[in-house]
Amino acid sequence: AVLRKTLETPFRRCINYYSVNDPILYVAPSAVQYLRSGRVVGSAEEEFCFLAPRIGDPIADHDLLGATYRQALEWEGARFRQEHRSLAYKVYHPMLVMISAVHHQIHQLIKAALRYLVQLCLALMQWVQTKTDQVTSSIRSYVWRPIVFLFMVCMDAIRIWISGKEKYELVVRDDPISVETTGNPSGQEQKTALQLN
């Protein structure tokens, strides 16, 4: 149950992964010996890596595709991919990572610059609107109203000058105006009719 490097199996690297509650340890005395000794790795012929159980059930933790051993499979898969990639990949992959990082930084800088420009434009537009309102109000108060007033005075003077003088005509109304008042200090009602002809 322990994989070793021998003349029949000349592996370059042998690592034996065991969950500390795996029942297979009952038939692997060398693994149990290393586990009890507290050493992390074994000899040059055999290496051990002990995993903390993820589920807690010895039978479930023994499953190769279970939560405990899946982590070891991911580690070994990543190691295999790293060691057996082509030379071209090993050369251009760091360049791609660097280009991606630079692109990300440039993207963030552009976003920050655009955000700042938009905020600046909005503040400028608000300032221009405020100043325009102030100027318009000042023109209306100090320029437009005096001009209108002077225009009306001039027009009135021209009208008087053309007509010679002002003529007033008395308007006589044909219908009488009646005024009624009720109530007095004594409490009696009085009616007064005033007629103007």
Side-chain angles (χ1 to χ4, degrees):
V2 176
L3 187 62
R4 295 184 177 89
K5 284 195 284 188
T6 63
L7 295 176
E8 290 79 16
T9 57
F11 302 114
R12 189 177 71 172
R13 180 169 169 266
C14 294
I15 297 183
N16 296 277
Y17 288 95
Y18 293 104
S19 175
V20 294
N21 66 344
D22 197 328
I24 199 71
L25 290 174
Y26 290 109
V27 293
S30 59
V32 174
Q33 179 182 359
Y34 280 107
L35 178 62
R36 289 178 180 170
S37 68
R39 287 183 287 179
V40 178
V41 295
S43 62
E45 291 80 21
E46 54 187 12
E47 296 182 26
F48 299 94
C49 182
F50 298 102
L51 305 172
R54 297 298 180 91
I55 300 174
D57 182 13
I59 303 301
D61 286 323
H62 178 70
D63 185 10
L64 181 62
L65 300 178
T68 303
Y69 287 108
R70 185 170 59 241
Q71 183 180 11
L73 288 174
E74 291 173 356
W75 290 343
E76 291 299 323
R79 183 187 178 96
F80 180 83
R81 287 195 305 270
Q82 186 66 29
E83 289 184 355
H84 296 282
R85 281 175 176 153
S86 65
L87 180 62
Y89 179 83
K90 292 180 180 179
V91 170
Y92 72 77
H93 183 261
M95 294 175 60
L96 289 178
V97 172
M98 184 179 65
I99 291 171
S100 176
V102 170
H103 175 266
H104 179 71
Q105 291 297 326
I106 292 174
H107 182 69
Q108 294 297 324
L109 288 174
I110 290 174
K111 282 176 62 177
L114 288 176
R115 187 181 301 113
Y116 176 75
L117 286 176
V118 168
Q119 291 175 353
L120 186 63
C121 289
L122 290 175
L124 182 62
M125 289 174 60
Q126 186 175 6
W127 180 81
V128 168
Q129 181 67 33
T130 303
K131 291 300 179 183
T132 303
D133 293 342
Q134 290 176 356
V135 170
T136 304
S137 177
S138 299
I139 290 174
R140 189 182 301 115
S141 300
Y142 299 109
V143 177
W144 180 248
R145 287 179 181 173
I147 288 175
V148 171
F149 176 74
L150 289 175
F151 177 76
M152 296 299 293
V153 168
C154 291
M155 291 300 295
D156 194 34
I158 291 171
R159 184 179 58 81
I160 293 172
W161 180 70
I162 291 174
S163 63
K165 61 177 183 177
E166 292 187 358
K167 296 180 180 179
Y168 298 98
E169 296 180 0
L170 184 61
V171 178
V172 179
R173 297 183 59 174
D174 295 333
D175 56 333
I177 300 174
S178 63
V179 178
E180 295 182 0
T181 58
T182 59
N184 55 14
S186 62
Q188 298 177 355
E189 295 185 358
Q190 293 182 347
K191 294 184 180 180
T192 304
L194 176 63
Q195 294 182 352
L196 297 177
N197 294 326

